[in-house]
Amino acid sequence: MSLYRQCFITLSGLAAGIILAGCTASAREIPEFTPEQTALFSSTDKALETAYVWAKKTALSYAHDSDDPVGAWYEAALPNREAFCMRDVSHQSVGAQILGLSKHNKNMFTHFVENISENRDYCSFWEINRYNLPAPADYASDTEFWYNLNANFDVLQACLKLYEWTGDRDYLSGDKFSRFYSLSLNEYIDRWQLAPENIMDREPIMNASENFNPSYSFHTCRGLPSYVENFKGLSVGIDLIATLYAGYNAHARMAAILGNEEAATASASKASAYRDILEKNWWDSENNRYHTFWTKEKKFFRGEGVPFVLWFDASTDSQRITASVKDILAQKWNVENMSAFPALFYKLGYNDDAYRYLTILPSTERASYPEVSYGVVEGVVCGAMGLKPSASGKSVESLSRVPGKETKIQNVPMLGGYVSLRHQGTKLSEMENNTPQELTWNVSFLGKCRSVKAGGKEYPVKVSKDNAGNSISTASIPLAPQSKLIAEAI
């Protein structure tokens, strides 16, 4: 039975988070919400509201409670598989968190990290079904299965995001998670020849069994060096380079949060090495775009993969990012890629393009693919409304990217409680902190402003620019627990 139809309370883990925060007095004031009341969005932009309402209802219809042997889970694979795969869960997890599926995220990522195995050359199970078994469509035995090598590092970067949303330190240092990170960043890298110094020389197929059959997909696809699965002779995809960067960068941030400066420095250095490979080797200056495939003949080819460079912030070159956005917009994409475009383009400042994808995705072909609805949820909340928490910074940020309209999201689960956010155009925002801790509200407005007024005080701003060249003014304002504040650009 779906979570949406059952309408049970989705506040698992809240009590533990409150105890860790040490805020028992204020914790009693935090209410509990049903799925209908959680992440409730409304807007005077009815096209935006319609897209979100569809996305929330659809996404929750894919969520299931703990009655199944696998525990709480949501569908994150091809429809009707009754399963979840590492790539899709990593990309759906923020949307799931927004909708109150924190328990589901924790359970699914725990299954991924605990199943890493030397017998599978330090792979986990790519796809797990509701019966808590590796999905038969992708697994026959430890020597015969389907696996994309991006997976471990995609999981790693997603776990950092979930820590920032929830404050759950298991994502940083829990035993199962720590073991997975260590094996992925070391043994897995060595076993699959993914280190920066030799990744461009690796073979397309590695760690083959003695009875290797080139016509058997569970042999040839046991360690695909990309999320692109239909290009023969592929040694490395640009998406793999970008995902490796994201994984090491996420681990560097995790280590820094835990106070492990040595590990943080080492992982940051590795991340930088992958970025250098990408910028020095993969940029096609003649065509002003990135190559995407590197083959066993040591030749570059073009295909999918560029969106991952931007999604994982693997490039910091603003001109190349702009060229990549134009490259993406000039092509047709499958829904797996398009699902990420609203949040991605809003982040980069291409607001009109982000809005266009938000409003067309619900009616696009294959809109039933689970990643679509979760991507629209993230696109509205994190993109159009700019809502993003940080457990490590004890902060929450906002930025309205919807001019001339009111947008409101109520009861978004984060940091052991909830926040609600309302924007009136792009010059006034209201935030309610219903968490057990004081937060720094990093409130941003499009354009340059002199200051931000909130609670009868004026706060100084810092002005930055997004990649599209839009000026953004940001003020940092303290926001007490169980309080509400209106901020206005001056």
Side-chain angles (χ1 to χ4, degrees):
M1 182 177 293
S2 76
L3 173 63
Y4 187 74
R5 291 192 295 272
Q6 280 198 310
C7 300
F8 67 88
I9 303 249
T10 57
L11 203 61
S12 64
L14 176 59
I18 292 168
I19 292 171
L20 289 174
C23 299
T24 55
S26 60
R28 289 193 295 270
E29 302 172 25
I30 297 175
E32 296 180 343
F33 296 106
T34 65
E36 291 90 347
Q37 296 169 319
T38 300
L40 185 64
F41 178 79
S42 61
S43 177
T44 55
D45 185 325
K46 292 308 173 184
L48 198 62
E49 183 178 289
T50 298
Y52 181 88
V53 170
W54 169 86
K56 177 181 176 181
K57 181 178 180 180
T58 303
L60 288 177
S61 74
Y62 295 129
H64 305 268
D65 68 14
S66 55
D67 288 343
D68 290 317
V70 78
W73 68 286
Y74 52 81
E75 295 180 48
L78 288 170
N80 302 316
R81 281 268 183 97
E82 297 188 331
F84 50 94
C85 79
M86 296 175 80
R87 175 201 174 277
D88 290 24
V89 174
S90 296
H91 299 176
Q92 293 176 217
S93 56
V94 170
Q97 168 63 31
I98 291 167
L99 296 176
L101 304 180
S102 178
K103 176 177 69 173
H104 300 64
N105 276 334
K106 181 70 173 292
N107 180 54
M108 295 157 77
F109 278 103
T110 298
H111 281 300
F112 289 140
V113 300
E114 70 185 5
N115 279 301
I116 191 171
S117 170
E118 183 178 6
N119 291 338
R120 291 185 288 277
D121 296 302
Y122 302 102
C123 297
S124 181
F125 292 135
W126 168 252
E127 187 172 352
I128 300 171
N129 64 23
R130 70 189 309 161
Y131 305 105
N132 198 22
L133 298 170
D138 291 310
Y139 178 89
S141 71
D142 281 357
T143 59
E144 301 174 340
F145 60 87
W146 191 289
Y147 206 82
N148 302 68
L149 294 177
N150 310 51
N152 291 36
F153 307 95
D154 218 344
V155 164
L156 209 162
Q157 64 85 31
C159 287
L160 174 62
K161 289 181 181 178
L162 290 177
Y163 164 72
E164 295 289 17
W165 272 88
T166 65
D168 184 345
R169 293 180 73 87
D170 271 357
Y171 286 116
L172 300 181
S173 56
D175 290 343
K176 293 179 179 179
F177 287 85
S178 295
R179 175 177 174 269
F180 177 84
Y181 302 155
S182 178
L183 291 173
S184 296
L185 297 172
N186 295 286
E187 284 84 349
Y188 183 82
I189 288 286
D190 293 339
R191 187 67 60 92
W192 293 99
Q193 199 175 329
L194 300 175
E197 60 270 20
N198 54 31
I199 190 170
M200 298 295 286
D201 296 318
R202 69 184 308 278
E203 292 295 320
I205 296 173
M206 298 185 63
N207 304 311
S209 61
E210 294 182 359
N211 63 337
F212 177 78
N213 180 355
S215 300
Y216 183 35
S217 64
F218 279 9
H219 283 171
T220 59
C221 298
R222 187 187 183 274
L224 289 165
S226 171
Y227 281 141
V228 177
E229 300 168 339
N230 59 357
F231 191 89
K232 292 184 178 180
L234 182 62
S235 293
V236 189
I238 194 171
D239 58 313
L240 178 57
I241 300 287
T243 316
L244 285 160
Y245 165 81
Y248 275 99
N249 186 54
H251 187 258
R253 291 173 58 192
M254 288 179 173
I257 293 168
L258 294 170
N260 190 338
E261 294 183 9
E262 183 178 354
T265 299
S267 287
S269 178
K270 280 286 184 70
S272 180
Y274 289 112
R275 173 176 278 167
D276 287 345
I277 291 171
L278 187 146
E279 299 291 28
K280 293 176 182 178
N281 295 65
W282 289 74
W283 181 251
D284 179 0
S285 57
E286 182 177 348
N287 293 297
N288 198 36
R289 64 191 187 185
Y290 285 103
H291 299 292
T292 58
F293 301 148
W294 177 247
T295 68
K296 61 182 180 181
E297 293 85 14
K298 299 191 181 302
K299 293 181 179 180
F300 283 115
F301 287 87
R302 279 281 295 178
E304 294 182 39
V306 172
F308 285 92
V309 176
L310 308 186
W311 183 254
F312 290 134
D313 296 317
S315 175
T316 56
D317 187 312
S318 61
Q319 292 183 335
R320 293 184 179 183
I321 293 172
T322 300
S324 296
V325 170
K326 293 179 179 178
D327 183 19
I328 292 169
L329 292 174
Q331 301 182 52
K332 291 184 177 181
W333 296 92
N334 57 33
V335 294
E336 290 90 339
N337 282 283
M338 288 195 296
S339 299
F341 287 174
L344 173 61
F345 288 141
Y346 272 127
K347 180 181 73 171
L348 296 174
Y350 299 91
N351 300 337
D352 291 343
D353 296 301
Y355 180 88
R356 177 168 56 86
Y357 276 105
L358 265 183
T359 53
I360 67 173
L361 273 168
S363 59
T364 195
E365 187 179 1
R366 294 183 66 214
S368 61
Y369 193 83
E371 193 172 352
V372 177
S373 52
Y374 288 85
V376 171
V377 169
E378 183 177 1
V380 171
V381 177
C382 301
M385 301 198 70
L387 180 63
K388 184 179 178 183
S390 171
S392 61
K394 297 180 180 178
S395 63
V396 61
E397 62 186 58
S398 68
L399 169 61
S400 173
R401 299 181 173 102
V402 186
K405 303 290 184 179
E406 182 181 76
T407 53
K408 182 166 63 174
I409 187 77
Q410 296 173 269
N411 310 326
V412 179
M414 64 176 68
L415 305 178
Y418 298 85
V419 303
S420 297
L421 173 65
R422 179 178 68 89
H423 295 305
Q424 189 64 51
T426 57
K427 299 301 178 185
L428 185 147
S429 299
E430 180 183 49
M431 178 79 78
E432 181 178 358
N433 175 13
N434 206 4
T435 77
Q437 60 186 307
E438 179 175 298
L439 299 174
T440 297
W441 180 18
N442 294 316
V443 55
S444 297
F445 297 101
L446 288 174
K448 295 181 180 180
C449 62
R450 186 184 76 239
S451 61
V452 170
K453 185 176 181 180
K457 299 179 181 179
E458 285 197 29
Y459 294 86
V461 300
K462 293 182 179 179
V463 179
S464 59
K465 286 190 176 183
D466 59 30
N467 202 77
N470 303 302
S471 295
I472 299 173
S473 301
T474 303
S476 296
I477 302 171
L479 186 60
Q482 284 75 58
S483 70
K484 183 186 298 185
L485 202 59
I486 293 176
E488 186 174 5
I490 305 299

